[in-house]
Coordinates of all heavy atoms in Angstrom, one line a residue:
M233 N -9.5 8.7 -0.4 CA -10.7 8.2 -1.1 C -11.1 6.8 -0.7 O -12.3 6.6 -0.5 CB -10.3 8.1 -2.6 CG -11.4 7.8 -3.6 SD -10.9 8.2 -5.3 CE -11.4 6.8 -6.0
A234 N -10.1 6.0 -0.3 CA -10.4 4.7 0.2 C -11.0 4.7 1.6 O -11.9 3.9 1.8 CB -9.1 3.8 0.3
V235 N -10.6 5.7 2.4 CA -11.1 5.8 3.7 C -12.6 6.2 3.7 O -13.5 5.7 4.4 CB -10.4 6.7 4.6 CG1 -11.0 6.8 5.9 CG2 -8.9 6.2 4.8
Q236 N -13.0 7.1 2.8 CA -14.3 7.7 2.7 C -15.3 6.7 1.9 O -16.4 6.7 2.4 CB -14.2 9.1 1.9 CG -13.5 10.1 2.7 CD -14.3 10.5 3.9 OE1 -15.5 10.5 3.9 NE2 -13.5 10.7 5.0
I237 N -14.7 6.0 0.9 CA -15.6 5.2 0.2 C -15.5 3.8 0.5 O -16.6 3.1 0.6 CB -15.4 5.5 -1.4 CG1 -15.6 6.8 -1.8 CG2 -16.2 4.5 -2.3 CD1 -15.1 7.3 -3.1
L238 N -14.4 3.2 0.6 CA -14.2 1.8 0.8 C -14.4 1.3 2.2 O -14.9 0.1 2.5 CB -12.9 1.3 0.3 CG -12.7 1.5 -1.3 CD1 -11.2 1.0 -1.7 CD2 -13.7 0.6 -2.0
H239 N -14.0 2.1 3.2 CA -14.1 1.7 4.6 C -15.6 1.4 5.0 O -15.8 0.3 5.6 CB -13.6 2.7 5.5 CG -13.7 2.4 7.0 ND1 -13.0 1.2 7.4 CD2 -14.3 2.9 8.1 CE1 -13.3 1.0 8.8 NE2 -14.1 2.1 9.1
P240 N -16.6 2.2 4.7 CA -18.0 1.8 5.0 C -18.4 0.6 4.3 O -19.1 -0.2 5.0 CB -18.8 3.0 4.5 CG -17.9 4.2 4.5 CD -16.6 3.6 4.1
L241 N -18.0 0.3 3.2 CA -18.4 -0.9 2.4 C -17.7 -2.1 3.2 O -18.3 -3.2 3.3 CB -17.9 -0.8 1.0 CG -18.5 0.3 0.1 CD1 -18.0 0.3 -1.3 CD2 -20.0 0.2 0.2
N242 N -16.4 -1.9 3.5 CA -15.6 -3.0 4.1 C -16.1 -3.4 5.5 O -16.1 -4.4 6.0 CB -14.1 -2.5 4.2 CG -13.3 -3.7 4.6 OD1 -13.5 -4.8 4.2 ND2 -12.1 -3.4 5.3
K243 N -16.6 -2.2 6.2 CA -17.3 -2.5 7.5 C -18.4 -3.4 7.4 O -18.7 -4.3 8.3 CB -17.7 -1.1 8.1 CG -16.9 -0.9 9.4 CD -17.1 0.4 10.1 CE -18.4 1.2 9.8 NZ -18.4 2.5 10.6
N244 N -19.3 -3.1 6.3 CA -20.5 -4.0 6.2 C -20.1 -5.4 5.8 O -20.8 -6.3 6.3 CB -21.3 -3.4 5.1 CG -22.0 -2.2 5.5 OD1 -22.1 -1.7 6.6 ND2 -22.4 -1.2 4.5
V245 N -19.1 -5.6 5.1 CA -18.6 -6.9 4.7 C -18.1 -7.6 5.9 O -18.4 -8.9 6.1 CB -17.6 -6.8 3.5 CG1 -16.9 -8.2 3.3 CG2 -18.2 -6.3 2.2
A246 N -17.4 -6.9 6.7 CA -16.8 -7.5 7.9 C -18.0 -7.9 8.9 O -17.8 -8.9 9.5 CB -15.8 -6.6 8.6
A247 N -19.0 -7.1 8.9 CA -20.1 -7.3 9.8 C -20.9 -8.5 9.4 O -21.5 -9.1 10.2 CB -21.0 -6.0 9.9
S248 N -20.9 -8.8 8.1 CA -21.6 -10.0 7.6 C -20.9 -11.3 7.9 O -21.4 -12.3 7.6 CB -21.8 -9.9 6.1 OG -20.7 -10.0 5.4
G249 N -19.7 -11.2 8.3 CA -18.9 -12.4 8.7 C -18.0 -13.0 7.6 O -17.6 -14.1 7.7
A250 N -17.8 -12.2 6.6 CA -16.9 -12.7 5.5 C -15.5 -12.9 5.8 O -14.8 -13.7 5.2 CB -17.1 -11.7 4.3
Y251 N -15.0 -12.2 6.9 CA -13.5 -12.3 7.2 C -13.3 -13.1 8.5 O -12.1 -13.1 9.0 CB -13.0 -10.9 7.4 CG -13.1 -9.9 6.3 CD1 -13.6 -8.7 6.5 CD2 -12.8 -10.3 4.9 CE1 -13.6 -7.7 5.4 CE2 -12.9 -9.5 3.9 CZ -13.4 -8.2 4.1 OH -13.4 -7.3 3.1
E252 N -14.3 -13.7 9.0 CA -14.1 -14.2 10.4 C -12.9 -15.3 10.5 O -12.2 -15.2 11.4 CB -15.4 -14.9 10.8 CG -16.4 -13.9 11.3 CD -17.6 -14.7 11.7 OE1 -17.7 -15.8 11.9 OE2 -18.7 -13.9 11.9
N253 N -12.8 -16.1 9.6 CA -11.8 -17.2 9.7 C -10.5 -17.0 8.9 O -9.4 -17.4 9.2 CB -12.4 -18.5 9.2 CG -13.5 -19.0 10.1 OD1 -13.6 -18.8 11.3 ND2 -14.5 -19.6 9.4
S254 N -10.6 -16.1 7.9 CA -9.4 -16.0 7.0 C -8.5 -14.9 7.3 O -7.4 -14.9 7.0 CB -9.9 -15.8 5.6 OG -10.7 -14.6 5.4
C255 N -8.9 -13.7 7.9 CA -8.1 -12.5 8.1 C -8.6 -11.7 9.3 O -9.7 -11.4 9.4 CB -8.2 -11.7 6.8 SG -7.2 -10.2 6.8
D256 N -7.6 -11.5 10.2 CA -8.0 -10.7 11.4 C -7.8 -9.2 11.2 O -8.3 -8.5 11.9 CB -7.3 -11.1 12.6 CG -5.7 -11.3 12.3 OD1 -5.3 -11.4 11.2 OD2 -4.9 -11.2 13.3
R257 N -7.1 -8.8 10.1 CA -6.9 -7.4 9.9 C -7.8 -6.9 8.8 O -7.9 -5.7 8.6 CB -5.4 -7.3 9.4 CG -5.0 -6.2 8.5 CD -3.6 -6.0 8.2 NE -3.4 -4.6 7.9 CZ -3.8 -4.0 6.8 NH1 -4.4 -4.7 5.9 NH2 -3.7 -2.8 6.7
C258 N -8.5 -7.7 8.1 CA -9.3 -7.3 6.9 C -10.4 -6.3 7.3 O -10.7 -5.4 6.5 CB -9.9 -8.6 6.2 SG -8.7 -9.6 5.5
G259 N -11.0 -6.4 8.4 CA -12.1 -5.6 8.9 C -11.6 -4.0 9.0 O -12.5 -3.2 8.9
R260 N -10.3 -3.9 9.2 CA -9.8 -2.4 9.4 C -8.9 -2.2 8.3 O -8.1 -1.2 8.4 CB -9.2 -2.4 10.8 CG -8.1 -3.3 11.2 CD -7.6 -3.1 12.5 NE -6.9 -4.3 12.9 CZ -5.6 -4.6 12.6 NH1 -4.9 -3.8 11.9 NH2 -5.0 -5.6 13.0
A261 N -9.0 -2.8 7.2 CA -8.0 -2.7 6.1 C -8.1 -1.2 5.6 O -7.0 -0.7 5.0 CB -8.3 -3.6 5.0
F262 N -9.2 -0.5 5.5 CA -9.3 0.8 5.0 C -9.8 1.8 6.0 O -10.4 2.9 5.7 CB -10.4 0.8 3.8 CG -9.8 -0.1 2.7 CD1 -10.5 -1.3 2.5 CD2 -8.8 0.3 1.8 CE1 -10.1 -2.2 1.5 CE2 -8.3 -0.6 0.9 CZ -8.9 -1.8 0.6
S263 N -9.6 1.5 7.3 CA -10.1 2.4 8.3 C -9.5 3.8 8.5 O -10.0 4.7 8.8 CB -10.1 1.6 9.7 OG -8.8 1.3 10.0
T264 N -8.2 3.8 8.2 CA -7.3 5.0 8.2 C -6.5 5.2 6.9 O -6.5 4.2 6.1 CB -6.4 5.1 9.4 OG1 -5.4 4.0 9.3 CG2 -7.2 4.9 10.7
V265 N -5.9 6.3 6.7 CA -5.1 6.5 5.5 C -3.9 5.5 5.6 O -3.5 4.9 4.6 CB -4.6 7.9 5.4 CG1 -3.7 8.2 4.3 CG2 -5.8 8.8 5.2
A266 N -3.4 5.4 6.8 CA -2.1 4.5 7.0 C -2.5 3.1 6.6 O -1.7 2.3 6.0 CB -1.5 4.6 8.3
H267 N -3.7 2.5 7.1 CA -4.1 1.3 6.9 C -4.4 1.1 5.4 O -4.2 0.0 4.8 CB -5.3 0.8 7.7 CG -5.0 0.6 9.2 ND1 -6.0 0.7 10.2 CD2 -3.9 0.2 9.8 CE1 -5.5 0.4 11.3 NE2 -4.2 0.2 11.1
S268 N -5.0 2.1 4.7 CA -5.4 2.0 3.3 C -4.0 1.8 2.5 O -3.9 1.0 1.5 CB -6.1 3.1 2.9 OG -7.3 3.2 3.5
F269 N -3.1 2.7 2.8 CA -1.8 2.6 2.2 C -1.1 1.3 2.3 O -0.6 0.8 1.4 CB -0.9 3.8 2.8 CG 0.5 3.8 2.1 CD1 0.6 4.3 0.8 CD2 1.7 3.3 2.8 CE1 1.9 4.4 0.2 CE2 2.9 3.4 2.1 CZ 2.9 3.9 0.9
L270 N -1.2 0.8 3.6 CA -0.5 -0.5 3.8 C -1.3 -1.6 3.1 O -0.6 -2.6 2.5 CB -0.6 -0.9 5.3 CG 0.1 -2.2 5.8 CD1 1.6 -2.2 5.4 CD2 -0.2 -2.3 7.2
T271 N -2.6 -1.5 3.0 CA -3.4 -2.6 2.2 C -3.1 -2.5 0.8 O -2.8 -3.6 0.1 CB -4.8 -2.3 2.5 OG1 -5.1 -2.4 4.0 CG2 -5.6 -3.4 1.8
F272 N -3.0 -1.4 0.3 CA -2.8 -1.2 -1.3 C -1.3 -1.6 -1.6 O -1.1 -2.1 -2.5 CB -3.1 0.2 -1.8 CG -4.5 0.5 -1.9 CD1 -5.1 1.6 -1.4 CD2 -5.3 -0.4 -2.6 CE1 -6.4 1.9 -1.6 CE2 -6.7 -0.2 -2.8 CZ -7.2 1.0 -2.3
T273 N -0.4 -1.2 -0.6 CA 1.0 -1.7 -0.8 C 1.1 -3.1 -0.8 O 1.8 -3.8 -1.7 CB 1.9 -1.1 0.2 OG1 1.8 0.3 0.2 CG2 3.4 -1.5 0.0
Q274 N 0.6 -3.8 0.1 CA 0.5 -5.3 0.2 C -0.1 -5.9 -1.1 O 0.4 -6.9 -1.6 CB -0.3 -5.7 1.4 CG -0.4 -7.2 1.6 CD -1.3 -7.6 2.8 OE1 -1.8 -6.8 3.4 NE2 -1.4 -8.9 3.1
Q275 N -1.2 -5.3 -1.6 CA -2.0 -6.0 -2.6 C -1.4 -5.7 -4.0 O -1.2 -6.6 -4.7 CB -3.4 -5.5 -2.6 CG -4.3 -5.9 -1.6 CD -5.7 -5.4 -1.5 OE1 -6.0 -4.4 -2.3 NE2 -6.6 -6.0 -0.9
I276 N -0.9 -4.4 -4.2 CA -0.6 -4.1 -5.5 C 1.0 -4.4 -5.7 O 1.4 -4.9 -6.7 CB -0.9 -2.7 -5.9 CG1 -2.5 -2.6 -5.9 CG2 -0.4 -2.3 -7.2 CD1 -3.0 -1.3 -6.0
L277 N 1.8 -3.7 -4.9 CA 3.3 -3.8 -5.0 C 3.8 -5.3 -4.6 O 4.6 -5.7 -5.4 CB 3.9 -2.8 -4.2 CG 3.7 -1.4 -4.6 CD1 4.4 -0.4 -3.7 CD2 3.9 -1.1 -6.1
A278 N 3.3 -5.8 -3.6 CA 3.8 -7.1 -3.1 C 3.0 -8.2 -3.8 O 3.5 -9.3 -3.9 CB 3.6 -7.2 -1.7
G279 N 1.8 -7.8 -4.3 CA 0.9 -8.9 -4.9 C 0.4 -9.9 -4.0 O 0.1 -11.1 -4.3
D280 N 0.2 -9.6 -2.7 CA -0.2 -10.5 -1.8 C -1.6 -10.2 -1.2 O -2.0 -9.0 -1.1 CB 0.8 -10.4 -0.6 CG 0.5 -11.4 0.5 OD1 0.0 -12.5 0.2 OD2 0.8 -11.2 1.7
S281 N -2.4 -11.1 -1.1 CA -3.7 -11.0 -0.4 C -4.7 -10.3 -1.1 O -5.7 -9.6 -0.5 CB -3.5 -10.5 1.2 OG -2.7 -11.3 1.9
W282 N -4.7 -10.3 -2.4 CA -5.7 -9.6 -3.3 C -7.1 -10.1 -2.9 O -8.0 -9.3 -2.8 CB -5.3 -9.7 -4.7 CG -6.2 -9.1 -5.6 CD1 -7.2 -9.6 -6.3 CD2 -6.5 -7.6 -5.8 NE1 -8.0 -8.7 -7.0 CE2 -7.6 -7.5 -6.7 CE3 -5.9 -6.5 -5.3 CZ2 -7.9 -6.2 -7.2 CZ3 -6.3 -5.2 -5.8 CH2 -7.4 -5.1 -6.7
G283 N -7.2 -11.4 -2.9 CA -8.5 -12.0 -2.7 C -9.0 -11.9 -1.3 O -10.3 -12.0 -1.1
E284 N -8.3 -11.7 -0.3 CA -8.9 -11.7 1.1 C -9.6 -10.5 1.3 O -10.7 -10.5 2.1 CB -7.6 -11.8 2.1 CG -7.1 -13.1 2.2 CD -6.1 -13.2 3.3 OE1 -5.5 -12.1 3.7 OE2 -5.8 -14.3 3.9
V285 N -9.2 -9.3 0.8 CA -10.0 -8.0 1.1 C -10.7 -7.6 -0.1 O -12.0 -7.3 0.1 CB -9.0 -7.0 1.5 CG1 -9.7 -5.7 1.8 CG2 -8.1 -7.4 2.7
S286 N -10.3 -7.5 -1.2 CA -10.9 -6.8 -2.4 C -12.0 -7.6 -3.0 O -13.0 -7.1 -3.3 CB -9.8 -6.6 -3.4 OG -8.8 -5.7 -2.9
I287 N -11.8 -9.0 -3.1 CA -12.8 -9.8 -3.8 C -14.2 -9.8 -3.0 O -15.1 -9.7 -3.6 CB -12.3 -11.3 -4.0 CG1 -11.0 -11.2 -4.9 CG2 -13.4 -12.1 -4.5 CD1 -11.2 -10.8 -6.3
P288 N -14.1 -9.9 -1.6 CA -15.4 -10.0 -0.9 C -16.1 -8.5 -1.0 O -17.3 -8.4 -1.1 CB -15.1 -10.2 0.6 CG -13.7 -10.9 0.5 CD -13.1 -10.5 -0.7
I289 N -15.4 -7.5 -1.1 CA -16.0 -6.1 -1.3 C -16.5 -6.0 -2.7 O -17.7 -5.5 -2.8 CB -15.0 -5.0 -1.0 CG1 -14.5 -5.0 0.5 CG2 -15.4 -3.7 -1.4 CD1 -13.4 -4.1 0.8
I290 N -15.8 -6.5 -3.7 CA -16.3 -6.4 -5.1 C -17.5 -7.3 -5.3 O -18.4 -6.9 -6.0 CB -15.1 -6.8 -6.1 CG1 -14.2 -5.6 -6.0 CG2 -15.6 -6.8 -7.5 CD1 -12.8 -5.9 -6.7
E291 N -17.5 -8.5 -4.7 CA -18.7 -9.3 -4.8 C -19.9 -8.7 -4.3 O -21.0 -8.9 -4.9 CB -18.5 -10.7 -4.2 CG -17.5 -11.6 -4.9 CD -17.1 -12.9 -4.3 OE1 -17.4 -13.0 -3.0 OE2 -16.7 -13.7 -4.9
R292 N -19.8 -8.0 -3.1 CA -20.9 -7.5 -2.5 C -21.4 -6.1 -3.1 O -22.5 -5.7 -3.2 CB -20.8 -7.4 -1.0 CG -21.0 -8.7 -0.3 CD -20.9 -8.6 1.2 NE -21.1 -9.7 1.9 CZ -20.6 -10.9 1.9 NH1 -19.7 -11.1 0.9 NH2 -20.8 -11.9 2.8
Y293 N -20.4 -5.4 -3.6 CA -20.6 -4.0 -4.1 C -19.8 -3.9 -5.4 O -18.7 -3.5 -5.5 CB -20.1 -2.9 -3.2 CG -20.7 -3.0 -1.8 CD1 -20.0 -3.6 -0.7 CD2 -21.9 -2.5 -1.7 CE1 -20.7 -3.7 0.6 CE2 -22.6 -2.6 -0.3 CZ -21.9 -3.2 0.6 OH -22.5 -3.3 1.9
P294 N -20.4 -4.4 -6.6 CA -19.7 -4.5 -7.9 C -19.2 -3.1 -8.3 O -18.2 -3.1 -9.0 CB -20.7 -4.9 -8.8 CG -21.8 -5.7 -7.9 CD -21.7 -5.0 -6.7
S295 N -19.8 -2.0 -7.9 CA -19.3 -0.7 -8.4 C -17.9 -0.4 -7.7 O -17.2 0.6 -8.3 CB -20.3 0.4 -8.1 OG -20.5 0.5 -6.7
S296 N -17.5 -1.0 -6.6 CA -16.2 -0.7 -6.1 C -15.1 -1.3 -6.9 O -14.0 -1.0 -6.7 CB -16.1 -1.4 -4.6 OG -16.2 -2.8 -4.7
Y297 N -15.4 -2.2 -7.9 CA -14.4 -2.6 -8.8 C -13.7 -1.5 -9.5 O -12.5 -1.5 -9.7 CB -15.0 -3.5 -9.8 CG -14.2 -3.9 -11.0 CD1 -13.1 -4.9 -10.9 CD2 -14.3 -3.2 -12.1 CE1 -12.3 -5.1 -11.8 CE2 -13.4 -3.5 -13.3 CZ -12.4 -4.5 -13.1 OH -11.5 -4.6 -14.1
F298 N -14.3 -0.4 -9.8 CA -13.8 0.7 -10.6 C -12.7 1.4 -9.7 O -11.7 2.0 -10.2 CB -14.8 1.7 -11.2 CG -15.7 0.9 -12.1 CD1 -17.0 0.6 -11.8 CD2 -15.2 0.6 -13.4 CE1 -17.8 0.0 -12.7 CE2 -16.0 0.0 -14.3 CZ -17.3 -0.3 -14.0
I299 N -12.9 1.5 -8.4 CA -12.0 2.1 -7.5 C -10.7 1.2 -7.5 O -9.6 1.8 -7.5 CB -12.7 2.3 -6.1 CG1 -13.8 3.3 -6.2 CG2 -11.6 2.8 -5.0 CD1 -14.6 3.3 -4.9
F300 N -10.9 -0.1 -7.3 CA -9.7 -0.9 -7.2 C -9.0 -0.9 -8.5 O -7.8 -1.0 -8.5 CB -10.2 -2.4 -6.8 CG -10.6 -2.5 -5.3 CD1 -11.8 -2.8 -5.1 CD2 -9.6 -2.4 -4.3 CE1 -12.3 -2.9 -3.8 CE2 -10.0 -2.4 -3.0 CZ -11.3 -2.7 -2.7
W301 N -9.7 -1.0 -9.6 CA -9.1 -0.9 -10.9 C -8.2 0.4 -11.1 O -7.1 0.3 -11.6 CB -10.1 -1.1 -12.0 CG -9.6 -1.0 -13.4 CD1 -9.0 -2.0 -14.1 CD2 -9.6 0.1 -14.2 NE1 -8.6 -1.6 -15.3 CE2 -9.0 -0.2 -15.5 CE3 -10.0 1.5 -14.1 CZ2 -8.8 0.6 -16.5 CZ3 -9.9 2.3 -15.1 CH2 -9.3 1.9 -16.3
F302 N -8.9 1.5 -10.7 CA -8.1 2.8 -10.9 C -6.9 2.8 -10.1 O -5.8 3.3 -10.6 CB -9.1 4.0 -10.5 CG -8.5 5.2 -10.5 CD1 -8.2 5.9 -11.7 CD2 -8.1 5.8 -9.3 CE1 -7.7 7.1 -11.8 CE2 -7.5 7.1 -9.4 CZ -7.2 7.8 -10.6
V303 N -6.9 2.4 -8.9 CA -5.8 2.3 -7.9 C -4.7 1.4 -8.5 O -3.5 1.8 -8.7 CB -6.2 2.0 -6.5 CG1 -4.9 1.7 -5.7 CG2 -7.0 3.0 -5.9
M304 N -5.1 0.2 -9.0 CA -4.2 -0.7 -9.5 C -3.5 -0.3 -10.8 O -2.3 -0.2 -11.0 CB -5.0 -2.1 -9.8 CG -4.0 -3.1 -10.1 SD -4.8 -4.7 -10.0 CE -4.1 -5.6 -11.3
C305 N -4.3 0.4 -11.7 CA -3.7 0.9 -12.9 C -2.8 2.1 -12.6 O -1.7 2.3 -13.2 CB -4.8 1.4 -13.9 SG -5.6 0.0 -14.7
T306 N -3.2 3.0 -11.7 CA -2.4 4.2 -11.4 C -1.1 3.8 -10.8 O 0.0 4.3 -11.2 CB -3.2 5.1 -10.6 OG1 -4.4 5.5 -11.2 CG2 -2.4 6.4 -10.2
V307 N -1.1 2.9 -9.8 CA 0.1 2.5 -9.2 C 0.9 1.7 -10.0 O 2.2 1.8 -10.0 CB -0.2 1.8 -7.8 CG1 1.1 1.2 -7.1 CG2 -0.9 2.7 -6.9
G308 N 0.3 0.8 -10.7 CA 1.1 0.0 -11.7 C 1.8 0.8 -12.7 O 3.0 0.5 -13.0
M309 N 1.2 1.8 -13.4 CA 1.8 2.6 -14.3 C 2.9 3.5 -13.6 O 3.9 3.8 -14.3 CB 0.8 3.5 -15.0 CG 0.0 2.8 -16.0 SD 1.0 2.2 -17.3 CE -0.3 1.4 -18.3
T310 N 2.7 4.0 -12.4 CA 3.7 4.7 -11.8 C 5.0 3.9 -11.5 O 6.1 4.4 -11.8 CB 3.2 5.3 -10.4 OG1 2.0 6.1 -10.7 CG2 4.2 6.1 -9.7
V311 N 4.8 2.7 -11.0 CA 6.0 1.8 -10.7 C 6.7 1.5 -12.0 O 7.9 1.5 -12.1 CB 5.6 0.7 -9.9 CG1 6.6 -0.4 -9.8 CG2 5.0 1.0 -8.6
L312 N 6.0 1.2 -13.0 CA 6.5 0.9 -14.4 C 7.2 2.1 -14.8 O 8.4 1.9 -15.4 CB 5.4 0.5 -15.3 CG 5.9 0.1 -16.8 CD1 6.7 -1.1 -16.6 CD2 4.6 -0.2 -17.6
N313 N 6.8 3.2 -14.7 CA 7.4 4.5 -15.2 C 8.8 4.6 -14.4 O 9.8 5.0 -15.0 CB 6.6 5.7 -14.9 CG 7.1 6.9 -15.7 OD1 7.9 6.8 -16.6 ND2 6.8 8.0 -15.2
L314 N 8.7 4.4 -13.1 CA 10.0 4.5 -12.2 C 10.9 3.4 -12.7 O 12.3 3.8 -12.7 CB 9.6 4.4 -10.8 CG 8.8 5.6 -10.2 CD1 8.5 5.2 -8.8 CD2 9.7 6.8 -10.3
I315 N 10.6 2.3 -13.0 CA 11.5 1.2 -13.4 C 12.1 1.6 -14.7 O 13.3 1.5 -14.9 CB 10.8 -0.1 -13.4 CG1 10.5 -0.5 -12.0 CG2 11.7 -1.1 -14.1 CD1 9.6 -1.8 -11.9
L316 N 11.3 1.9 -15.7 CA 11.9 2.3 -17.0 C 12.7 3.6 -17.0 O 13.6 3.8 -17.6 CB 10.7 2.4 -18.0 CG 10.0 1.2 -18.3 CD1 8.9 1.4 -19.2 CD2 11.0 0.1 -19.0

């Protein structure tokens, strides 16, 4: 889902120059399933770099917020269930 929906949006954000100085991996964060998995693992489980990739996409495409919210809630509840 992230590769099909978020990657084209992320490509447009990267082409606009939003990631030039801050992140060299951000432009390809959702290009493959492996990159998407790594990005979501970094953002949700590790809690790192949420603002580098997701915030610029959400600012330019507000409807993408629901995708990030769904992934965050789903993964968060799954991890919480495993811990409990």
Side-chain angles (χ1 to χ4, degrees):
M233 189 163 128
V235 175
Q236 293 295 318
I237 297 172
L238 293 178
H239 180 61
L241 303 178
N242 191 35
K243 239 171 35 174
N244 292 339
V245 171
S248 72
Y251 303 135
E252 284 182 8
N253 297 328
S254 63
C255 180
D256 51 334
R257 153 175 208 288
C258 293
R260 56 185 162 81
F262 300 106
S263 61
T264 64
V265 173
H267 285 159
S268 298
F269 180 76
L270 181 63
T271 301
F272 283 132
T273 301
Q274 176 186 7
Q275 289 179 345
I276 296 170
L277 295 180
D280 184 30
S281 301
W282 176 257
E284 282 186 338
V285 179
S286 302
I287 300 295
I289 295 172
I290 293 171
E291 284 179 345
R292 285 185 174 50
Y293 304 100
S295 61
S296 66
Y297 167 78
F298 296 106
I299 297 170
F300 288 111
W301 177 81
F302 176 75
V303 170
M304 191 164 140
C305 287
T306 304
V307 173
M309 288 296 183
T310 303
V311 171
L312 182 63
N313 190 25
L314 289 174
I315 291 171
L316 290 177

